[in-house]
Amino acid sequence: MDAQGRGRAENIDPADQWVLNPSTGEYELRLTPSAPQSAVPGPRRAASRGRGAAPGRPSRTAAPAPEGRKEARGAREEARGGRGEARGSREEARGSREGREARPGRSASGDAPSPRRRRGAPEEAPAGRRGRRPVKAKKSRGKKAVMWTGGTMAFVLVAVGAAGWFYLKHLEGNVTTEDVGNAADSGFSKDEAFNILLLGTDKRTGKGNEGYGDKGSAGHADTTLLLHVAKDRSNATVLSIPRDLIVDIPDCPTKDADGNETVIPGSQGVRFNTSLGQEGRNAGCTMRTVEEMTGIDVNHFMMADFNAVKTLTTAVGGVDVCLAKDVDDPDSHLKLDAGPHTLMGEDALAFVRTRHSFGNQGDLDRIKVQQQFLASLMRKMSSSDTLTSPTKLMKLAEAATKALTVDTGIGKVSTLKDVALELKKVPPKNISFTTVPVRDNPAETVKATVVVDESRAPDVFDAIANDVSFTAVKEKKAQEKAAVAARLKGTKSAPSEVRVRILNGGAPSGSASETLEWLQNDEGVTKSENAGNADAALSRTTLEYAPEQADQARRLAAIMGLSGAALKPGESVINSQGMPTMTLTLGKDFEGAGVSLTPPAKAPDVEKSTADKVQCAG
């Protein structure tokens, strides 16, 4: 059918006829004002094909008398304010295009078509029409250009968006995830401090890794770093854990490929590196071991093997290192002259694996070299050369996602991106590298392992657990700091007036009962009760209270050694006697009734380095 044939007859100008050109396959505007037109559009070219009206029905192709057509056209032009002028403009806009005239043949009325106008030949304006206006033709071309430009840009934007989505899904397919149960958090929060255990295994898988030492290794915790990122993103701490550290490994629930859960029995007095791989232990077992040893809540893990070092360093174009002396280690195949070097691939792997080239040729000195290497890698990844190069970024994304195994809580690429962006907020000068304070194992004659130094290590663990920086950082906003400190200032109720219920929110089993007994018998807080376990575990102990209970909260804070940050203004809860009461939730930082919960004001003075400093290994 005609394009116009789909509309209502009374709204159609019969002179506007769109006809399908079979030679081009496009609809074209027939500009034949002299040809009689049907007042009611019907099937195209019906008369020319010799098709008459159906029996008993008037013909749809019969043309009205020319006089009637002119009269009708005149009425319409007057009613529409000069329809002819608009049509004249369309003729000018389209009439200059060759091949856009009416197709040779017969018109809808069966008359011969008007002759084709030659290009450039003058054409007399039909009677009753005003002169042509070329300006309108140019405007039409401009609108068409805008239409094409806008349409093209929209297509490009959609294509780019779709490509980005598919690429994100592609990267997500690279990442390997492992379900470690409740050892890891179910999600990632951008508003809290977080701790991620970074594991480098000695598993000899992948091309080119067969010749490294123990070919049958199940993938032990060869290199382990606990990354802590402060809540306000002002600082971060990377704590290295020696592989030869003697620890107690707790019982570890694990899942097999079919989803069946098995509890792997714990081991006492064994090397830390056996917390992964040995007897089928997974990364969740290593997380639990770190938590038991340090008291720090580990939220997630990221694990990589030998290939990660090779692919990541190659993706960023090499990592810059500095050597204070020549190195020739046949075990790690590292042979370098003193001075600066840019390492990638096999050379980078050999550098982080060498144990016989620096210091006393032990694992502790290798840890220092690895920290320097990691600091250099961080600088390279955050440099403008990397961040402004799409090629390097894509290579880095491919290498990182293929190299990593992570827990299901951060298994999506979008979540890994969030983790990276939060870490990027920390200035390199405030990223500290340190090691668990240790001493030689006193049970050994030939010193091969180390144990935690109980005189120094607890202070390091407490600083990390309480979000205390190991570098000098700017103080938090003055208003926030003053508001927290103000919670402890003011009058205090008598202990006998303090009404509180106690929940266990991550403290050792029996802590709520122990605290209740201590408060009632030793501190005179007789209006206290044990309310069982909290709905969720907390890393820090908190006391929630209503505004009218502030004096009670200050008294309990003084008794228990709670900091202003532990006090959470909120709402009271109606207890079993129908009275409003505060809620004390004992977190993972709880160490026993009567032990102060005030966090350290500053981190201990320990040997450390920062990510912004370039150091030479030697």
Side-chain angles (χ1 to χ4, degrees), residues 363-380:
D363 187 52
L364 295 179
D365 286 293
R366 182 176 71 159
I367 285 176
K368 294 178 182 178
V369 173
Q370 290 174 343
Q371 291 175 348
Q372 295 168 12
F373 182 87
L374 183 57
S376 181
L377 177 60
M378 286 182 172
R379 291 194 297 270
K380 191 63 174 287

Side-chain angles (χ1 to χ4, degrees), residues 349-464:
L349 178 59
F351 182 82
V352 298
R353 290 193 68 248
T354 182
R355 299 184 64 174
H356 306 293
S357 302
F358 310 110
N360 63 7
Q361 301 186 2
D363 187 52
L364 295 179
D365 286 293
R366 182 176 71 159
I367 285 176
K368 294 178 182 178
V369 173
Q370 290 174 343
Q371 291 175 348
Q372 295 168 12
F373 182 87
L374 183 57
S376 181
L377 177 60
M378 286 182 172
R379 291 194 297 270
K380 191 63 174 287
M381 291 174 66
S382 62
S383 68
S384 58
D385 289 343
T386 301
L387 296 178
T388 58
S389 171
T391 301
K392 284 186 178 181
L393 285 175
M394 290 183 71
K395 287 182 178 179
L396 185 58
E398 288 284 349
T401 52
K402 288 180 180 178
L404 291 176
T405 296
V406 302
D407 62 89
T408 53
I410 53 174
K412 292 184 177 180
V413 171
S414 57
T415 307
L416 291 173
K417 178 204 68 176
D418 290 340
V419 173
L421 290 177
E422 292 304 305
L423 179 58
K424 187 176 180 296
K425 295 177 182 178
V426 183
K429 66 179 182 179
N430 290 333
I431 300 178
S432 304
F433 292 88
T434 190
T435 305
V436 173
V438 297
R439 58 189 178 90
D440 289 336
N441 187 351
E444 294 177 337
T445 302
V446 178
K447 305 304 179 184
T449 61
V450 292
V451 295
V452 172
D453 186 344
E454 295 296 345
S455 66
R456 297 183 297 147
D459 291 340
V460 174
F461 301 154
D462 288 346
I464 295 175

Side-chain angles (χ1 to χ4, degrees), residues 55-304:
R57 295 176 60 186
S59 173
R60 299 180 64 187
T61 58
E67 292 82 6
R69 181 176 180 278
K70 291 179 180 179
E71 181 178 352
R73 182 188 302 166
R76 280 195 302 277
E77 288 177 353
E78 181 177 357
R80 298 174 184 172
R83 173 71 174 173
E85 177 181 348
R87 187 165 67 245
S89 298
R90 283 197 303 276
E91 285 183 1
E92 172 62 21
R94 298 179 176 91
S96 62
R97 301 181 182 178
E98 186 176 12
R100 304 293 283 182
E101 295 85 2
R103 178 178 177 272
R106 294 187 177 276
S107 66
S109 63
D111 294 332
S114 58
R116 186 190 299 262
R117 181 171 60 87
R118 294 194 308 273
R119 187 181 289 182
E123 181 180 37
E124 182 179 351
R129 299 181 185 175
R130 299 182 182 179
R132 307 182 190 96
R133 296 185 180 181
V135 174
K136 288 195 175 185
K138 293 180 180 178
K139 184 175 181 180
S140 176
R141 295 189 191 102
K143 287 182 178 178
K144 195 164 188 176
V146 170
M147 179 188 71
W148 276 105
T149 303
T152 303
M153 286 302 297
F155 175 79
V156 169
L157 290 175
V158 171
V160 170
W165 185 85
F166 281 114
Y167 187 64
L168 186 66
K169 288 298 178 183
H170 161 72
L171 292 178
E172 207 153 280
N174 291 343
V175 180
T176 302
T177 60
E178 185 171 9
D179 185 358
V180 293
N182 61 6
D185 294 350
S186 59
F188 173 74
S189 175
K190 294 189 285 187
D191 301 320
E192 299 292 337
F194 61 90
N195 301 304
I196 298 180
L197 196 65
L198 308 177
L199 294 168
T201 76
D202 57 359
K203 194 171 184 178
R204 273 71 170 167
T205 57
K207 183 179 180 180
N209 296 327
E210 301 85 357
Y212 292 116
D214 181 10
K215 296 181 181 180
S217 174
H220 297 118
D222 191 57
T223 299
T224 306
L225 307 102
L226 179 62
L227 168 65
H228 169 79
V229 179
K231 181 177 181 178
D232 62 4
R233 309 302 187 244
S234 65
N235 67 92
T237 303
V238 181
L239 178 69
S240 292
I241 303 174
R243 55 170 289 169
D244 298 325
L245 176 65
I246 298 300
V247 297
D248 292 336
I249 300 175
D251 293 347
C252 181
T254 61
K255 291 183 180 180
D256 58 23
D258 297 328
N260 300 317
E261 186 171 288
T262 302
V263 177
I264 301 175
S267 301
Q268 285 70 47
V270 295
R271 292 180 189 242
F272 174 82
N273 69 335
T274 61
S275 65
L276 177 67
Q278 197 82 3
E279 300 180 14
R281 295 188 178 105
N282 60 18
C285 302
T286 310
M287 295 173 69
R288 297 175 194 274
T289 302
V290 172
E291 288 184 348
E292 183 164 300
M293 177 182 67
T294 65
I296 299 170
D297 182 25
V298 182
N299 306 112
H300 302 284
F301 83 88
M302 295 182 182
M303 182 167 60

Side-chain angles (χ1 to χ4, degrees), residues 18-29 97-104 116:
W18 289 87
V19 180
L20 180 66
N21 187 338
S23 63
T24 64
E26 298 180 355
Y27 282 96
E28 298 177 351
L29 184 66
R97 301 181 182 178
E98 186 176 12
R100 304 293 283 182
E101 295 85 2
R103 178 178 177 272
R116 186 190 299 262

